[in-house]
Structures are given as C-alpha cells and as structure tokens.
Amino acid sequence: MSNVILITGAAGWLGGLLAHALKEDPKTPNLQLILADIVEPKAPDGVKSITFKADLTDSGQVDALFTTSYGIPDTVYCLHGIMSRGSEDNFDLGLKVNVDSVRDLLEATRRHGQERDNPIKFILASSLAVYGRPLPDIVTPSTIATPQSAYGMGKLTSELFINEYSRRGFVDGRILRLPTIVVRPGVPVAATSSFISGIIREPLKGLPSLCPIGDSLASPALDLPLWLASPETTIANLVIAKHIPASSFMPHTRVVCLPGFTATVRDELRALESIAGRKALELVQFKDDEVNRRVVSSWPAKFDNAYALRLGFVVDEGGMEPIVRRFKESVDAGVV
Ligand SMILES: NC(=O)c1ccc[n+]([C@@H]2O[C@H](COP(=O)([O-])OP(=O)(O)OC[C@H]3O[C@@H](n4cnc5c(N)ncnc54)[C@H](O)[C@@H]3O)[C@@H](O)[C@H]2O)c1
C-alpha cells in the first residue's frame, strides 16, 4: 500500500517539518509526497516527491495537484495561508488565500475523492484566532468561536466548509486549531504572534528583539497569558491527525483544539533568563504596539485538553523551560 500525501504550504515552516516527520512515521510506509507552494518547495531527501511551484488562488493550478503520476492523494494537508498580521493588514489577500483558495482545494478534494469512491482526508491547520472575547476562563469544545481578526474569520469560514463537506461524506475532514507555536526559527514574520517566538529566538542568537507588549520589564502587560505548544508536539499531532479513525470524532464537528499549555509573556522571559542568563534577557526591548496587543489579547489562553488527549493527541510537559533549552541547543549546534 502506498501513502500519497499532498501538502500545500509545503515551502513554509510547518509544511517542511511535516514532510520530514511523515518520512519518519512508521505508520506511513511507501510515502509519496506532492508538495505545493507559491515558493518552490524542497522535498526531503530519500522520499518520492513531486514539487509544484503553484499559486493556489488559481484553481487550474489546484486541480493539477490531483492528477500527478502518483494518482489521487489519500490525504491533503492544507497548510498554505496568509498569517495573522498579513491578513489583518491586507484583508483582500487574506480572504483570497485563507478562504477562496481553501474552498477550491476542498472542492477538488471532493471531486477526486468521488472519482476514487472514497473520501480523501482533508486536514486543515486552523488556529486559536477563531476565538475572540468575551471567553470563558477555560475554552471547551462547546465554546462559540467569535473571531476578532480577519485571519480568525478566514480560518473559521474554511472550518465551516470542511465540517459541512465531512457531514455530507464529500471529504473526511480533520480541523486542527493549533495553539501558538513557540519557538519558531528563522526571522520575524508577518504574524501578530511573531514576537512570542522572537523574544526567545533573537536573544538566544545574541540579537536584540522587540516585544510589542508593555513598555518595560516591570509592565503589568507582560502578565498576558498565551496558549502555546512546541513545534515538536505540533508536528507530532499533525501526523497523529491522519491516523485517527473518522468514527472517533464527535459526530457534529471535526474541529479539535490541539493540546497546549498556558504561559505568560513574563513566563517566557523568566525561562529565557533561567536558560540563557541575564544578558540574553537584556536583549529584549519593549515598545507597546496597540494593534498587536489588542489582537493577541483577544485570543484565549486556556483550553480543556481532555477531548484532544482522548483522541490520541499529545501535549508538551514542563512549560517553557524545556522548549527554550531545546531551542538553545539547536542554536548552539548551528541548525537554526
Ligand atoms: N505557526 C503557527 O504558530 C501557527 C499557528 C496556528 C495556525 N497555523 C497555520 O498553520 C499553517 C502553516 O503555518 P506556518 O507557520 O508554516 O506558515 P508559513 O507562513 O511558514 O507557511 C505558509 C506557506 O503558505 C504559502 N502560501 C501563501 N500563499 C500561497 C498561495 N497563494 N499559494 C500557495 N502557497 C501559498 C507561503 O508561501 C508559505 O510557504 C498556516 O495555515 C497557519 O495559518 C500556524
């Protein structure tokens, strides 16, 4: 049996990590990857792969992903997107990519699934940005999503389509609301959450980093709680999502809030100081950005992990320190 898997957004951070994780997954033998992104994706060594440099807002380019020599994919990971600040600042582009192109991809998944007479798994990387205030102290699977950003609205719109397509048996959807992932390597990106990684990543590299929450280390704004997960746990959960039997999900929704943990901006800075010392902490500079603070403050910071854990998803243990330590080891080893 071969496993033909399509990943969109494959040149992005999670797309690249996912392709490598699938390669290592013992439950995914004979892997054949179809990798698509507007930027040429790079296939992992040693895996049969076809890469597409494709703008997925063009539906002609979407259909081509389903008619390669590998045949119709069994699973589609929909990871392409315009991040939070990007969609807030460019509303039309955010809608085009995060809603219209996802709908085209979903429709192609439905059509080709019908051709093979078996619905294709469609896995969306959604986000906690679908939620907005007011919120209960702990978000549960029955908490209503009221997004307060264009990004969250776009993700929620796509989720509704995937749920309806799953209810009708057009696709076998799995919608994963990801926590904010920390620490993201690379350089700061157009995401409102970018600083959450930046205030760890840059100082560990000996570089200054700007925190847009609060005006100093003493600011009460630093007690802003965040809902976080490590990249390792998030990628493990993206792989697990493919293996969960469709019958395990609640009958009325394919949405799952992936497990995470709560830490404040101050907790992050404490972990930075504890792992890398005062000098690293002093590289964090503060300049309060009202838009950034408003968007991040509208996100929930505590979820009930029980349903996701029951399904078989995994969670980080030990808070921020092990995550900062692992990232420091990667910096010291020169791999990030
Ligand atoms: N990283 C996080 O903390 C986080 C949290 C929640 C949800 N997510 C979601 O996970 C997914 C992947 O996130 P990431 O961190 O890897 O983001 P990323 O920005 O690194 O990757 C997104 C990719 O989408 C591609 N893309 C954008 N427009 C495209 C288009 N028109 N056609 C084809 N490709 C296009 C980009 O080139 C990029 O490579 C996104 O959908 C994101 O919304 C990420």
Side-chain angles (χ1 to χ4, degrees), residues 8-15 36-39 54-57 78-83 97 101 125-128 151 155 178-182 184 193:
T8 68
W13 178 45
L14 294 181
D37 199 294
I38 201 164
V39 175
D55 181 350
L56 299 175
T57 61
C78 177
L79 300 189
H80 72 284
I82 300 296
M83 298 310 112
V97 177
S101 78
S126 187
S127 164
L128 57 72
Y151 176 65
K155 290 289 188 189
L178 274 49
T180 299
I181 307 170
V182 63
R184 184 188 175 103
S193 56

PDB file of all heavy atoms in Angstrom, residues 8-15 36-39 54-57 78-83 97 101 125-128 151 155 178-182 184 193, ligand 1:
ATOM      1  N   THR A   8      -0.031  21.381   1.049  1.00  0.00           N
ATOM      2  CA  THR A   8       0.040  22.744   0.500  1.00  0.00           C
ATOM      3  C   THR A   8       0.714  23.637   1.547  1.00  0.00           C
ATOM      4  O   THR A   8       0.638  23.344   2.741  1.00  0.00           O
ATOM      5  CB  THR A   8      -1.356  23.300   0.153  1.00  0.00           C
ATOM      6  OG1 THR A   8      -2.086  23.500   1.374  1.00  0.00           O
ATOM      7  CG2 THR A   8      -2.119  22.372  -0.777  1.00  0.00           C
ATOM      8  N   GLY A   9       1.369  24.690   1.096  1.00  0.00           N
ATOM      9  CA  GLY A   9       2.164  25.491   2.030  1.00  0.00           C
ATOM     10  C   GLY A   9       3.432  24.742   2.395  1.00  0.00           C
ATOM     11  O   GLY A   9       4.011  24.926   3.464  1.00  0.00           O
ATOM     12  N   ALA A  10       3.873  23.862   1.467  1.00  0.00           N
ATOM     13  CA  ALA A  10       4.981  22.937   1.764  1.00  0.00           C
ATOM     14  C   ALA A  10       6.340  23.633   1.862  1.00  0.00           C
ATOM     15  O   ALA A  10       7.282  23.059   2.401  1.00  0.00           O
ATOM     16  CB  ALA A  10       5.038  21.843   0.701  1.00  0.00           C
ATOM     17  N   ALA A  11       6.431  24.868   1.344  1.00  0.00           N
ATOM     18  CA  ALA A  11       7.703  25.596   1.499  1.00  0.00           C
ATOM     19  C   ALA A  11       7.717  26.377   2.810  1.00  0.00           C
ATOM     20  O   ALA A  11       8.722  26.994   3.160  1.00  0.00           O
ATOM     21  CB  ALA A  11       7.893  26.550   0.323  1.00  0.00           C
ATOM     22  N   GLY A  12       6.584  26.357   3.515  1.00  0.00           N
ATOM     23  CA  GLY A  12       6.508  27.076   4.787  1.00  0.00           C
ATOM     24  C   GLY A  12       7.155  26.276   5.901  1.00  0.00           C
ATOM     25  O   GLY A  12       7.629  25.150   5.708  1.00  0.00           O
ATOM     26  N   TRP A  13       7.126  26.864   7.067  1.00  0.00           N
ATOM     27  CA  TRP A  13       7.803  26.260   8.221  1.00  0.00           C
ATOM     28  C   TRP A  13       7.203  24.909   8.588  1.00  0.00           C
ATOM     29  O   TRP A  13       7.899  23.885   8.594  1.00  0.00           O
ATOM     30  CB  TRP A  13       7.730  27.237   9.404  1.00  0.00           C
ATOM     31  CG  TRP A  13       8.337  26.711  10.653  1.00  0.00           C
ATOM     32  CD1 TRP A  13       9.529  26.072  10.786  1.00  0.00           C
ATOM     33  CD2 TRP A  13       7.768  26.766  11.957  1.00  0.00           C
ATOM     34  NE1 TRP A  13       9.740  25.737  12.111  1.00  0.00           N
ATOM     35  CE2 TRP A  13       8.671  26.165  12.853  1.00  0.00           C
ATOM     36  CE3 TRP A  13       6.588  27.313  12.472  1.00  0.00           C
ATOM     37  CZ2 TRP A  13       8.437  26.066  14.220  1.00  0.00           C
ATOM     38  CZ3 TRP A  13       6.355  27.213  13.834  1.00  0.00           C
ATOM     39  CH2 TRP A  13       7.266  26.595  14.691  1.00  0.00           C
ATOM     40  N   LEU A  14       5.890  24.884   8.880  1.00  0.00           N
ATOM     41  CA  LEU A  14       5.273  23.622   9.315  1.00  0.00           C
ATOM     42  C   LEU A  14       5.223  22.617   8.176  1.00  0.00           C
ATOM     43  O   LEU A  14       5.397  21.416   8.391  1.00  0.00           O
ATOM     44  CB  LEU A  14       3.861  23.887   9.868  1.00  0.00           C
ATOM     45  CG  LEU A  14       3.807  24.721  11.156  1.00  0.00           C
ATOM     46  CD1 LEU A  14       2.361  24.900  11.615  1.00  0.00           C
ATOM     47  CD2 LEU A  14       4.629  24.081  12.268  1.00  0.00           C
ATOM     48  N   GLY A  15       4.980  23.095   6.952  1.00  0.00           N
ATOM     49  CA  GLY A  15       4.927  22.193   5.802  1.00  0.00           C
ATOM     50  C   GLY A  15       6.234  21.425   5.643  1.00  0.00           C
ATOM     51  O   GLY A  15       6.248  20.209   5.419  1.00  0.00           O
ATOM     52  N   ALA A  36       3.227  21.452  -2.618  1.00  0.00           N
ATOM     53  CA  ALA A  36       2.848  22.643  -3.389  1.00  0.00           C
ATOM     54  C   ALA A  36       2.988  23.901  -2.550  1.00  0.00           C
ATOM     55  O   ALA A  36       2.668  23.908  -1.358  1.00  0.00           O
ATOM     56  CB  ALA A  36       1.400  22.500  -3.862  1.00  0.00           C
ATOM     57  N   ASP A  37       3.460  24.961  -3.203  1.00  0.00           N
ATOM     58  CA  ASP A  37       3.578  26.264  -2.526  1.00  0.00           C
ATOM     59  C   ASP A  37       3.826  27.311  -3.614  1.00  0.00           C
ATOM     60  O   ASP A  37       4.326  26.986  -4.705  1.00  0.00           O
ATOM     61  CB  ASP A  37       4.754  26.249  -1.535  1.00  0.00           C
ATOM     62  CG  ASP A  37       4.659  27.358  -0.493  1.00  0.00           C
ATOM     63  OD1 ASP A  37       4.751  28.550  -0.855  1.00  0.00           O
ATOM     64  OD2 ASP A  37       4.463  27.027   0.704  1.00  0.00           O
ATOM     65  N   ILE A  38       3.533  28.549  -3.308  1.00  0.00           N
ATOM     66  CA  ILE A  38       3.799  29.638  -4.259  1.00  0.00           C
ATOM     67  C   ILE A  38       5.318  29.847  -4.396  1.00  0.00           C
ATOM     68  O   ILE A  38       5.806  30.382  -5.391  1.00  0.00           O
ATOM     69  CB  ILE A  38       3.051  30.923  -3.818  1.00  0.00           C
ATOM     70  CG1 ILE A  38       2.874  31.893  -4.983  1.00  0.00           C
ATOM     71  CG2 ILE A  38       3.709  31.589  -2.638  1.00  0.00           C
ATOM     72  CD1 ILE A  38       1.832  32.968  -4.733  1.00  0.00           C
ATOM     73  N   VAL A  39       6.037  29.390  -3.377  1.00  0.00           N
ATOM     74  CA  VAL A  39       7.513  29.365  -3.411  1.00  0.00           C
ATOM     75  C   VAL A  39       7.909  27.908  -3.671  1.00  0.00           C
ATOM     76  O   VAL A  39       7.295  27.014  -3.094  1.00  0.00           O
ATOM     77  CB  VAL A  39       8.076  29.813  -2.041  1.00  0.00           C
ATOM     78  CG1 VAL A  39       9.579  29.687  -1.989  1.00  0.00           C
ATOM     79  CG2 VAL A  39       7.610  31.210  -1.700  1.00  0.00           C
ATOM     80  N   ALA A  54       3.243  26.675  -7.231  1.00  0.00           N
ATOM     81  CA  ALA A  54       1.903  26.984  -7.734  1.00  0.00           C
ATOM     82  C   ALA A  54       1.217  28.005  -6.842  1.00  0.00           C
ATOM     83  O   ALA A  54       1.295  27.922  -5.615  1.00  0.00           O
ATOM     84  CB  ALA A  54       1.067  25.700  -7.749  1.00  0.00           C
ATOM     85  N   ASP A  55       0.550  28.971  -7.489  1.00  0.00           N
ATOM     86  CA  ASP A  55      -0.282  29.921  -6.744  1.00  0.00           C
ATOM     87  C   ASP A  55      -1.658  29.278  -6.580  1.00  0.00           C
ATOM     88  O   ASP A  55      -2.399  29.125  -7.552  1.00  0.00           O
ATOM     89  CB  ASP A  55      -0.376  31.241  -7.516  1.00  0.00           C
ATOM     90  CG  ASP A  55      -1.221  32.263  -6.766  1.00  0.00           C
ATOM     91  OD1 ASP A  55      -1.883  31.889  -5.767  1.00  0.00           O
ATOM     92  OD2 ASP A  55      -1.223  33.439  -7.198  1.00  0.00           O
ATOM     93  N   LEU A  56      -2.001  28.895  -5.368  1.00  0.00           N
ATOM     94  CA  LEU A  56      -3.231  28.131  -5.147  1.00  0.00           C
ATOM     95  C   LEU A  56      -4.491  28.994  -5.214  1.00  0.00           C
ATOM     96  O   LEU A  56      -5.597  28.473  -5.083  1.00  0.00           O
ATOM     97  CB  LEU A  56      -3.147  27.369  -3.825  1.00  0.00           C
ATOM     98  CG  LEU A  56      -1.991  26.359  -3.784  1.00  0.00           C
ATOM     99  CD1 LEU A  56      -1.871  25.702  -2.423  1.00  0.00           C
ATOM    100  CD2 LEU A  56      -2.144  25.292  -4.866  1.00  0.00           C
ATOM    101  N   THR A  57      -4.328  30.293  -5.444  1.00  0.00           N
ATOM    102  CA  THR A  57      -5.519  31.110  -5.700  1.00  0.00           C
ATOM    103  C   THR A  57      -5.963  30.927  -7.157  1.00  0.00           C
ATOM    104  O   THR A  57      -7.002  31.435  -7.560  1.00  0.00           O
ATOM    105  CB  THR A  57      -5.278  32.614  -5.415  1.00  0.00           C
ATOM    106  OG1 THR A  57      -4.246  33.082  -6.287  1.00  0.00           O
ATOM    107  CG2 THR A  57      -4.889  32.853  -3.972  1.00  0.00           C
ATOM    108  N   CYS A  78      -3.753  20.896   4.363  1.00  0.00           N
ATOM    109  CA  CYS A  78      -3.918  22.271   3.866  1.00  0.00           C
ATOM    110  C   CYS A  78      -3.216  23.215   4.838  1.00  0.00           C
ATOM    111  O   CYS A  78      -3.766  23.571   5.881  1.00  0.00           O
ATOM    112  CB  CYS A  78      -5.415  22.582   3.769  1.00  0.00           C
ATOM    113  SG  CYS A  78      -5.740  24.265   3.252  1.00  0.00           S
ATOM    114  N   LEU A  79      -2.000  23.578   4.493  1.00  0.00           N
ATOM    115  CA  LEU A  79      -1.185  24.407   5.397  1.00  0.00           C
ATOM    116  C   LEU A  79      -0.850  25.771   4.793  1.00  0.00           C
ATOM    117  O   LEU A  79      -0.212  26.592   5.455  1.00  0.00           O
ATOM    118  CB  LEU A  79       0.134  23.694   5.745  1.00  0.00           C
ATOM    119  CG  LEU A  79       0.074  22.329   6.437  1.00  0.00           C
ATOM    120  CD1 LEU A  79       1.464  21.906   6.884  1.00  0.00           C
ATOM    121  CD2 LEU A  79      -0.843  22.365   7.638  1.00  0.00           C
ATOM    122  N   HIS A  80      -1.228  25.997   3.524  1.00  0.00           N
ATOM    123  CA  HIS A  80      -0.852  27.297   2.956  1.00  0.00           C
ATOM    124  C   HIS A  80      -1.732  28.387   3.565  1.00  0.00           C
ATOM    125  O   HIS A  80      -2.859  28.119   3.985  1.00  0.00           O
ATOM    126  CB  HIS A  80      -0.974  27.279   1.424  1.00  0.00           C
ATOM    127  CG  HIS A  80      -2.391  27.264   0.936  1.00  0.00           C
ATOM    128  ND1 HIS A  80      -3.167  26.117   0.980  1.00  0.00           N
ATOM    129  CD2 HIS A  80      -3.181  28.242   0.416  1.00  0.00           C
ATOM    130  CE1 HIS A  80      -4.365  26.392   0.484  1.00  0.00           C
ATOM    131  NE2 HIS A  80      -4.405  27.677   0.138  1.00  0.00           N
ATOM    132  N   GLY A  81      -1.219  29.573   3.644  1.00  0.00           N
ATOM    133  CA  GLY A  81      -2.031  30.633   4.222  1.00  0.00           C
ATOM    134  C   GLY A  81      -1.278  31.935   4.358  1.00  0.00           C
ATOM    135  O   GLY A  81      -0.053  31.986   4.224  1.00  0.00           O
ATOM    136  N   ILE A  82      -2.068  32.983   4.608  1.00  0.00           N
ATOM    137  CA  ILE A  82      -1.512  34.298   4.927  1.00  0.00           C
ATOM    138  C   ILE A  82      -1.697  34.475   6.428  1.00  0.00           C
ATOM    139  O   ILE A  82      -2.807  34.334   6.940  1.00  0.00           O
ATOM    140  CB  ILE A  82      -2.275  35.420   4.158  1.00  0.00           C
ATOM    141  CG1 ILE A  82      -2.156  35.202   2.650  1.00  0.00           C
ATOM    142  CG2 ILE A  82      -1.777  36.808   4.561  1.00  0.00           C
ATOM    143  CD1 ILE A  82      -0.754  35.305   2.078  1.00  0.00           C
ATOM    144  N   MET A  83      -0.621  34.732   7.119  1.00  0.00           N
ATOM    145  CA  MET A  83      -0.653  34.729   8.581  1.00  0.00           C
ATOM    146  C   MET A  83      -1.437  35.907   9.152  1.00  0.00           C
ATOM    147  O   MET A  83      -1.882  36.784   8.435  1.00  0.00           O
ATOM    148  CB  MET A  83       0.774  34.700   9.135  1.00  0.00           C
ATOM    149  CG  MET A  83       1.548  33.464   8.734  1.00  0.00           C
ATOM    150  SD  MET A  83       0.666  31.916   9.021  1.00  0.00           S
ATOM    151  CE  MET A  83       0.375  31.356   7.385  1.00  0.00           C
ATOM    152  N   VAL A  97      -6.632  33.954  -0.129  1.00  0.00           N
ATOM    153  CA  VAL A  97      -5.788  32.787   0.170  1.00  0.00           C
ATOM    154  C   VAL A  97      -6.427  31.921   1.263  1.00  0.00           C
ATOM    155  O   VAL A  97      -6.575  30.710   1.092  1.00  0.00           O
ATOM    156  CB  VAL A  97      -4.367  33.227   0.583  1.00  0.00           C
ATOM    157  CG1 VAL A  97      -3.518  32.014   0.963  1.00  0.00           C
ATOM    158  CG2 VAL A  97      -3.705  34.014  -0.540  1.00  0.00           C
ATOM    159  N   SER A 101      -9.077  30.106  -1.795  1.00  0.00           N
ATOM    160  CA  SER A 101      -8.224  29.026  -2.326  1.00  0.00           C
ATOM    161  C   SER A 101      -8.403  27.742  -1.514  1.00  0.00           C
ATOM    162  O   SER A 101      -8.269  26.641  -2.046  1.00  0.00           O
ATOM    163  CB  SER A 101      -6.748  29.446  -2.353  1.00  0.00           C
ATOM    164  OG  SER A 101      -6.182  29.369  -1.070  1.00  0.00           O
ATOM    165  N   ALA A 125      -4.844  23.172   9.003  1.00  0.00           N
ATOM    166  CA  ALA A 125      -4.200  23.822  10.149  1.00  0.00           C
ATOM    167  C   ALA A 125      -4.972  25.105  10.428  1.00  0.00           C
ATOM    168  O   ALA A 125      -4.796  26.113   9.750  1.00  0.00           O
ATOM    169  CB  ALA A 125      -2.742  24.136   9.834  1.00  0.00           C
ATOM    170  N   SER A 126      -5.894  25.029  11.401  1.00  0.00           N
ATOM    171  CA  SER A 126      -6.630  26.224  11.799  1.00  0.00           C
ATOM    172  C   SER A 126      -5.922  26.832  13.011  1.00  0.00           C
ATOM    173  O   SER A 126      -4.768  26.471  13.299  1.00  0.00           O
ATOM    174  CB  SER A 126      -8.086  25.857  12.090  1.00  0.00           C
ATOM    175  OG  SER A 126      -8.825  27.034  12.325  1.00  0.00           O
ATOM    176  N   SER A 127      -6.606  27.708  13.715  1.00  0.00           N
ATOM    177  CA  SER A 127      -5.884  28.483  14.719  1.00  0.00           C
ATOM    178  C   SER A 127      -6.800  28.883  15.864  1.00  0.00           C
ATOM    179  O   SER A 127      -8.026  29.011  15.683  1.00  0.00           O
ATOM    180  CB  SER A 127      -5.343  29.742  14.033  1.00  0.00           C
ATOM    181  OG  SER A 127      -4.962  30.685  14.992  1.00  0.00           O
ATOM    182  N   LEU A 128      -6.205  29.134  17.043  1.00  0.00           N
ATOM    183  CA  LEU A 128      -6.996  29.650  18.160  1.00  0.00           C
ATOM    184  C   LEU A 128      -7.500  31.061  17.872  1.00  0.00           C
ATOM    185  O   LEU A 128      -8.337  31.591  18.610  1.00  0.00           O
ATOM    186  CB  LEU A 128      -6.181  29.599  19.451  1.00  0.00           C
ATOM    187  CG  LEU A 128      -4.839  30.306  19.533  1.00  0.00           C
ATOM    188  CD1 LEU A 128      -4.960  31.808  19.575  1.00  0.00           C
ATOM    189  CD2 LEU A 128      -4.107  29.833  20.761  1.00  0.00           C
ATOM    190  N   TYR A 151      -7.908  37.109  10.009  1.00  0.00           N
ATOM    191  CA  TYR A 151      -7.276  35.781   9.978  1.00  0.00           C
ATOM    192  C   TYR A 151      -8.188  34.742  10.632  1.00  0.00           C
ATOM    193  O   TYR A 151      -8.482  33.687  10.058  1.00  0.00           O
ATOM    194  CB  TYR A 151      -5.947  35.882  10.719  1.00  0.00           C
ATOM    195  CG  TYR A 151      -5.173  34.603  10.889  1.00  0.00           C
ATOM    196  CD1 TYR A 151      -4.641  33.911   9.812  1.00  0.00           C
ATOM    197  CD2 TYR A 151      -4.939  34.090  12.171  1.00  0.00           C
ATOM    198  CE1 TYR A 151      -3.902  32.744   9.997  1.00  0.00           C
ATOM    199  CE2 TYR A 151      -4.196  32.934  12.364  1.00  0.00           C
ATOM    200  CZ  TYR A 151      -3.683  32.262  11.272  1.00  0.00           C
ATOM    201  OH  TYR A 151      -2.950  31.121  11.466  1.00  0.00           O
ATOM    202  N   LYS A 155     -10.150  31.524   8.876  1.00  0.00           N
ATOM    203  CA  LYS A 155      -9.986  30.133   9.315  1.00  0.00           C
ATOM    204  C   LYS A 155     -11.349  29.540   9.670  1.00  0.00           C
ATOM    205  O   LYS A 155     -11.659  28.403   9.308  1.00  0.00           O
ATOM    206  CB  LYS A 155      -9.050  30.057  10.526  1.00  0.00           C
ATOM    207  CG  LYS A 155      -7.597  30.361  10.215  1.00  0.00           C
ATOM    208  CD  LYS A 155      -6.955  29.236   9.409  1.00  0.00           C
ATOM    209  CE  LYS A 155      -5.456  29.439   9.255  1.00  0.00           C
ATOM    210  NZ  LYS A 155      -4.850  28.495   8.311  1.00  0.00           N
ATOM    211  N   LEU A 178      -4.612  25.046  16.049  1.00  0.00           N
ATOM    212  CA  LEU A 178      -3.271  24.988  16.631  1.00  0.00           C
ATOM    213  C   LEU A 178      -3.109  26.064  17.698  1.00  0.00           C
ATOM    214  O   LEU A 178      -3.536  27.207  17.474  1.00  0.00           O
ATOM    215  CB  LEU A 178      -2.212  25.241  15.547  1.00  0.00           C
ATOM    216  CG  LEU A 178      -1.702  24.070  14.702  1.00  0.00           C
ATOM    217  CD1 LEU A 178      -2.825  23.226  14.138  1.00  0.00           C
ATOM    218  CD2 LEU A 178      -0.800  24.583  13.583  1.00  0.00           C
ATOM    219  N   PRO A 179      -2.451  25.749  18.807  1.00  0.00           N
ATOM    220  CA  PRO A 179      -2.012  26.817  19.714  1.00  0.00           C
ATOM    221  C   PRO A 179      -0.953  27.666  19.002  1.00  0.00           C
ATOM    222  O   PRO A 179      -0.525  27.334  17.888  1.00  0.00           O
ATOM    223  CB  PRO A 179      -1.378  26.049  20.881  1.00  0.00           C
ATOM    224  CG  PRO A 179      -1.851  24.640  20.757  1.00  0.00           C
ATOM    225  CD  PRO A 179      -2.063  24.411  19.280  1.00  0.00           C
ATOM    226  N   THR A 180      -0.518  28.733  19.630  1.00  0.00           N
ATOM    227  CA  THR A 180       0.624  29.481  19.093  1.00  0.00           C
ATOM    228  C   THR A 180       1.875  28.625  19.306  1.00  0.00           C
ATOM    229  O   THR A 180       2.092  28.109  20.397  1.00  0.00           O
ATOM    230  CB  THR A 180       0.769  30.829  19.813  1.00  0.00           C
ATOM    231  OG1 THR A 180      -0.427  31.570  19.570  1.00  0.00           O
ATOM    232  CG2 THR A 180       1.969  31.601  19.298  1.00  0.00           C
ATOM    233  N   ILE A 181       2.656  28.494  18.235  1.00  0.00           N
ATOM    234  CA  ILE A 181       3.800  27.591  18.321  1.00  0.00           C
ATOM    235  C   ILE A 181       5.062  28.375  18.659  1.00  0.00           C
ATOM    236  O   ILE A 181       5.355  29.404  18.036  1.00  0.00           O
ATOM    237  CB  ILE A 181       3.985  26.834  16.995  1.00  0.00           C
ATOM    238  CG1 ILE A 181       2.647  26.169  16.613  1.00  0.00           C
ATOM    239  CG2 ILE A 181       5.065  25.771  17.137  1.00  0.00           C
ATOM    240  CD1 ILE A 181       2.627  25.590  15.236  1.00  0.00           C
ATOM    241  N   VAL A 182       5.778  27.886  19.645  1.00  0.00           N
ATOM    242  CA  VAL A 182       6.975  28.562  20.133  1.00  0.00           C
ATOM    243  C   VAL A 182       8.029  27.490  20.399  1.00  0.00           C
ATOM    244  O   VAL A 182       7.713  26.438  20.911  1.00  0.00           O
ATOM    245  CB  VAL A 182       6.618  29.396  21.385  1.00  0.00           C
ATOM    246  CG1 VAL A 182       6.135  28.520  22.545  1.00  0.00           C
ATOM    247  CG2 VAL A 182       7.738  30.269  21.840  1.00  0.00           C
ATOM    248  N   ARG A 184       9.536  29.490  17.013  1.00  0.00           N
ATOM    249  CA  ARG A 184       9.634  29.409  15.565  1.00  0.00           C
ATOM    250  C   ARG A 184      11.036  29.881  15.155  1.00  0.00           C
ATOM    251  O   ARG A 184      11.443  30.984  15.549  1.00  0.00           O
ATOM    252  CB  ARG A 184       8.558  30.308  14.950  1.00  0.00           C
ATOM    253  CG  ARG A 184       8.480  30.238  13.446  1.00  0.00           C
ATOM    254  CD  ARG A 184       7.512  31.305  12.887  1.00  0.00           C
ATOM    255  NE  ARG A 184       7.570  31.281  11.457  1.00  0.00           N
ATOM    256  CZ  ARG A 184       6.655  30.724  10.675  1.00  0.00           C
ATOM    257  NH1 ARG A 184       5.587  30.203  11.188  1.00  0.00           N
ATOM    258  NH2 ARG A 184       6.808  30.715   9.372  1.00  0.00           N
ATOM    259  N   SER A 193       1.586  37.073  16.290  1.00  0.00           N
ATOM    260  CA  SER A 193       2.206  36.261  17.335  1.00  0.00           C
ATOM    261  C   SER A 193       3.720  36.160  17.178  1.00  0.00           C
ATOM    262  O   SER A 193       4.373  35.494  17.977  1.00  0.00           O
ATOM    263  CB  SER A 193       1.604  34.856  17.292  1.00  0.00           C
ATOM    264  OG  SER A 193       1.778  34.310  16.002  1.00  0.00           O
TER     265      SER A 193
HETATM  266  N1  LIG B   1       2.939  28.720  13.103  1.00  0.00           N
HETATM  267  C1  LIG B   1       1.944  28.872  13.957  1.00  0.00           C
HETATM  268  O1  LIG B   1       2.123  29.269  15.138  1.00  0.00           O
HETATM  269  C2  LIG B   1       0.520  28.563  13.532  1.00  0.00           C
HETATM  270  C3  LIG B   1      -0.481  28.620  14.494  1.00  0.00           C
HETATM  271  C4  LIG B   1      -1.786  28.351  14.094  1.00  0.00           C
HETATM  272  C5  LIG B   1      -2.052  28.010  12.779  1.00  0.00           C
HETATM  273  N2  LIG B   1      -1.049  27.964  11.864  1.00  0.00           N
HETATM  274  C6  LIG B   1      -1.386  27.638  10.488  1.00  0.00           C
HETATM  275  O2  LIG B   1      -0.531  26.614  10.021  1.00  0.00           O
HETATM  276  C7  LIG B   1      -0.283  26.799   8.618  1.00  0.00           C
HETATM  277  C8  LIG B   1       1.221  26.755   8.354  1.00  0.00           C
HETATM  278  O3  LIG B   1       1.836  27.740   9.162  1.00  0.00           O
HETATM  279  P1  LIG B   1       3.369  28.113   9.002  1.00  0.00           P
HETATM  280  O4  LIG B   1       3.798  28.641  10.319  1.00  0.00           O
HETATM  281  O5  LIG B   1       4.107  27.008   8.366  1.00  0.00           O
HETATM  282  O6  LIG B   1       3.255  29.326   7.994  1.00  0.00           O
HETATM  283  P2  LIG B   1       4.281  29.774   6.805  1.00  0.00           P
HETATM  284  O7  LIG B   1       3.982  31.212   6.543  1.00  0.00           O
HETATM  285  O8  LIG B   1       5.675  29.395   7.142  1.00  0.00           O
HETATM  286  O9  LIG B   1       3.793  28.890   5.583  1.00  0.00           O
HETATM  287  C9  LIG B   1       2.677  29.219   4.822  1.00  0.00           C
HETATM  288  C10 LIG B   1       3.026  28.921   3.384  1.00  0.00           C
HETATM  289  O10 LIG B   1       1.876  29.230   2.561  1.00  0.00           O
HETATM  290  C11 LIG B   1       2.396  29.653   1.317  1.00  0.00           C
HETATM  291  N3  LIG B   1       1.400  30.399   0.545  1.00  0.00           N
HETATM  292  C12 LIG B   1       0.880  31.615   0.829  1.00  0.00           C
HETATM  293  N4  LIG B   1       0.060  31.994  -0.160  1.00  0.00           N
HETATM  294  C13 LIG B   1       0.044  30.992  -1.076  1.00  0.00           C
HETATM  295  C14 LIG B   1      -0.603  30.805  -2.318  1.00  0.00           C
HETATM  296  N5  LIG B   1      -1.404  31.740  -2.841  1.00  0.00           N
HETATM  297  N6  LIG B   1      -0.374  29.660  -2.997  1.00  0.00           N
HETATM  298  C15 LIG B   1       0.458  28.711  -2.499  1.00  0.00           C
HETATM  299  N7  LIG B   1       1.106  28.845  -1.332  1.00  0.00           N
HETATM  300  C16 LIG B   1       0.903  29.974  -0.620  1.00  0.00           C
HETATM  301  C17 LIG B   1       3.579  30.534   1.687  1.00  0.00           C
HETATM  302  O11 LIG B   1       4.473  30.694   0.580  1.00  0.00           O
HETATM  303  C18 LIG B   1       4.185  29.765   2.850  1.00  0.00           C
HETATM  304  O12 LIG B   1       5.251  28.932   2.416  1.00  0.00           O
HETATM  305  C19 LIG B   1      -0.920  28.117   8.215  1.00  0.00           C
HETATM  306  O13 LIG B   1      -2.143  27.862   7.558  1.00  0.00           O
HETATM  307  C20 LIG B   1      -1.169  28.794   9.542  1.00  0.00           C
HETATM  308  O14 LIG B   1      -2.304  29.627   9.477  1.00  0.00           O
HETATM  309  C21 LIG B   1       0.242  28.224  12.205  1.00  0.00           C
END
